[in-house]
Amino acid sequence: MKKKLSLPQQIISALILGVVVGLVCYFTQTAEFTAKFLKPFGDIFVNLLKFIVVPVVLLSMIQGILAMGDLRKVGTVGGKTVGYFLGTTAVACVIGLVLANAFLALDLFPNLTLGDTTYTAKQFDGFMSVLIGIFPTNMWSAFVNANMLQVIVIALFLGGAMLAAGEKSQMCRDFVDSAYAVIEQLMAFIISLSPIGVFTYMAWVTAMQGAEILGSLALVLLCAYVGYFLHAIIVYSFSAKAFAGLSPVAFFKGAVPAMIFAFTSASSTATLPVSKECADNMGADKDISSFVLPLGATVHMDGTAIYMCVATVFLATCAGVQLTLTQLIMVVAIATLSAIGTAGTPGAGVIMLTMVLGTVGIPVDYIGLIIAVDRLFDMGHTTMNITGDIAGALCVTKWTNGKLSNNK
C-alpha cells in the first residue's frame, strides 16, 4: 500500500504542477484558460479561509487571553511581540535600502518613463485617523467587514473583561472553548484543501504574469527577492536558533506549508489558519500563537517593508529624484510604522507605498510603473510576512515559557 503524501508534500507538489501548467498555458497562448477555469477554484478556497478567519482570530485570541489567566501576562506577551515585530521590520528596511542602493550604484535598475501610466492613490488621512479607526463603533460591522485590527481589539476587550469577571464569566468561557473546538475542526478540513488552492493560483499567476517576469522590471523584482531571501536567512534563521533553539532547517521545513500558501494567495490574513498549524506543530504555545499570529498577520510586514524600500529607490530614479540620507531614514521610519492599520490582503503594500512616496516627494503616479507586477512583489513579501509571524510566535513562546512544547 502506497504511503499517502503529507500535507507539506502535497502543497509542494501542487506548487510545481501549477508552475508547469502555467508555463504550458503561457507559451501556448492559452493563459485565459487558467483565468476562467482554474483561478475560480482558488478563489473559492481563499473565500473559505476568509470565511473562518474572523471566528478563528476572535475565539483563539480570547481563549489565549483566558489561558494566560492574568492581564499582566497578556501585557508581557504583547510587549515582547510588538518589540520583536518592530525590531525585525526595522532590519528589513535597512536590508531593502542597502540592496536597492547597491543595484542603483551598479546601474542595474531600468530607467523607465511614466508615459501615459497613471495611478490614483487612495486617501490617507494620517496616523491619528488610523488610530481612531482601530477602535470599532459597531462590533458586528467589524466582523462583517473583516477589519482585523478591530476584531483584535474586540478580542482583547472581551478576553480581558472575562478575566476581570472571574467565576461569573464561566458560561462565556465554556462557550468560547466549545465554539473554538468546532472552528478548529472546520479549519482542519479547509486546510486539507490547500493543494487545490495552491495549484490553481500558481497556474494562473504563472500563465498571466509570464511576460512581466521576463520584462524590464525583472531586475527590480530580483532586488526585492534577494532582500526577502537574505532577511529570511539572516533574521529568521538567527532568531529561530538563538531565541527558540530551533535549527534553521527545522524552522523552514516546519514553515513551508504556510510559506507556499502565502506565496500563492498573497494574503497574510487568508494564510493565518495554515500559519497557526505550522507554528503549533513546531512547538509554539497554542495560546501564545493564538495571540501573536493574528496580530502579526495585521501589523507585522517585514517583506512589505523591503518591497517599499526597493520600490521607493527605483521609482525615485525614474522620477529623477535624488534621495538624501534624511529622506532614506524617513523611509525606514515610515515603512516600519505604516504597517499598523494595513490589512493583510493582496495589494495592501501599494497603499503603504503611496504614503512613503508622498512623504519623500515622489509623484504617486509613478506607482503605475510597477503596478503590473505588484502581484509578483506581493507574493514574495507576503511569504516573508507570515514567516516572520511564525518565528515571532516561537520566540515569544520561548521567552515566556522557557521552552517550546515539542522542541526536538
Side-chain angles (χ1 to χ4, degrees):
M1 183 177 177
K2 290 185 178 180
K3 185 178 178 182
K4 184 179 178 181
L5 291 177
S6 65
L7 183 61
Q9 291 172 327
Q10 291 179 41
I11 290 176
I12 292 172
S13 300
L15 174 72
I16 295 171
L17 183 60
V19 171
V20 171
V21 171
L23 287 174
V24 169
C25 291
Y26 171 67
F27 286 112
T28 57
Q29 297 185 340
T30 56
E32 201 63 32
F33 169 81
T34 62
K36 288 184 177 180
F37 300 104
L38 293 183
K39 183 177 178 287
F41 290 97
D43 290 339
I44 290 171
F45 175 68
V46 171
N47 286 347
L48 288 175
L49 281 172
K50 290 179 178 178
F51 156 66
I52 64 167
V53 160
V54 169
V56 164
V57 171
L58 179 69
L59 296 172
S60 67
M61 286 199 74
I62 292 175
Q63 191 178 59
I65 291 169
L66 294 175
M68 293 181 202
D70 186 348
L71 286 175
R72 284 175 295 183
K73 185 176 180 181
V74 175
T76 300
V77 171
K80 291 174 180 176
T81 301
V82 172
Y84 177 86
F85 286 170
L86 288 176
T88 58
T89 304
V91 173
C93 289
V94 172
I95 290 175
L97 283 178
V98 169
L99 276 174
N101 281 286
F103 269 62
L104 183 62
L106 294 171
D107 199 26
L108 295 178
F109 280 157
N111 198 339
L112 305 180
T113 56
L114 191 60
D116 295 328
T117 303
T118 58
Y119 174 79
T120 303
K122 292 188 177 181
Q123 184 67 33
F124 176 64
D125 298 325
F127 176 76
M128 294 308 296
S129 176
V130 173
L131 181 63
I132 293 171
I134 290 174
F135 296 91
T137 57
N138 185 303
M139 182 168 67
W140 308 114
S141 176
F143 297 160
V144 169
N145 296 320
N147 187 319
M148 299 317 297
L149 271 178
Q150 291 187 356
V151 172
I152 289 170
V153 168
I154 291 169
L156 289 172
F157 282 154
L158 289 179
M162 289 181 197
L163 278 180
E167 293 182 1
K168 292 181 180 179
S169 67
Q170 191 58 50
M171 185 177 293
C172 290
R173 296 182 186 216
D174 291 341
F175 170 77
V176 170
D177 287 339
S178 179
Y180 188 60
V182 174
I183 290 297
E184 278 190 310
Q185 293 300 313
L186 179 58
M187 185 167 61
F189 167 71
I190 294 175
I191 289 175
S192 70
L193 303 176
S194 296
I196 298 174
V198 168
F199 165 72
T200 53
Y201 263 165
M202 204 64 225
W204 166 64
V205 169
T206 305
M208 300 300 290
Q209 299 280 357
E212 302 294 350
I213 295 173
L214 301 173
S216 59
L217 291 171
L219 285 172
V220 184
L221 282 164
L222 175 64
C223 182
Y225 273 82
V226 169
Y228 301 151
F229 179 79
L230 289 177
H231 189 68
I233 296 299
I234 296 171
V235 177
Y236 300 148
S237 291
F238 173 81
S239 58
K241 182 63 178 177
F243 302 129
L246 205 64
S247 73
V249 173
F251 171 71
F252 286 114
K253 183 179 179 181
V256 156
M259 293 174 71
I260 291 178
F261 186 72
F263 185 75
T264 52
S265 70
S267 173
S268 298
T269 303
T271 310
L272 184 56
V274 188
S275 303
K276 180 162 176 27
E277 183 167 283
C278 289
D280 292 349
N281 288 343
M282 281 190 279
D285 183 288
K286 290 188 176 183
D287 298 324
I288 291 177
S289 69
S290 295
F291 182 91
V292 173
L293 292 175
L295 187 62
T298 310
V299 304
H300 188 212
M301 305 283 178
D302 288 1
T304 309
I306 292 172
Y307 156 74
M308 285 196 293
C309 292
V310 170
T312 299
V313 173
F314 164 62
L315 295 178
T317 304
C318 295
V321 175
Q322 184 71 37
L323 295 176
T324 65
L325 179 60
T326 301
Q327 287 176 313
L328 291 175
I329 294 173
M330 195 180 301
V331 169
V332 172
I334 297 171
T336 302
L337 296 176
S338 65
I340 300 174
T342 304
T345 54
V350 173
I351 301 172
M352 296 167 65
L353 182 59
T354 301
M355 305 176 203
V356 176
L357 295 184
T359 304
V360 295
I362 301 172
V364 174
D365 278 355
Y366 275 84
I367 290 181
L369 293 176
I370 61 172
I371 201 70
V373 292
D374 179 64
R375 176 81 188 191
L376 299 176
F377 283 114
D378 215 351
M379 292 163 70
H381 63 65
T382 302
T383 304
M384 287 300 93
N385 293 344
I386 64 93
T387 307
D389 298 343
I390 294 172
L394 295 170
C395 290
V396 174
T397 294
K398 188 70 181 291
W399 293 333
T400 305
N401 297 341
K403 62 179 181 178
L404 301 183
S405 60
N406 62 346
N407 192 3
K408 297 179 182 178

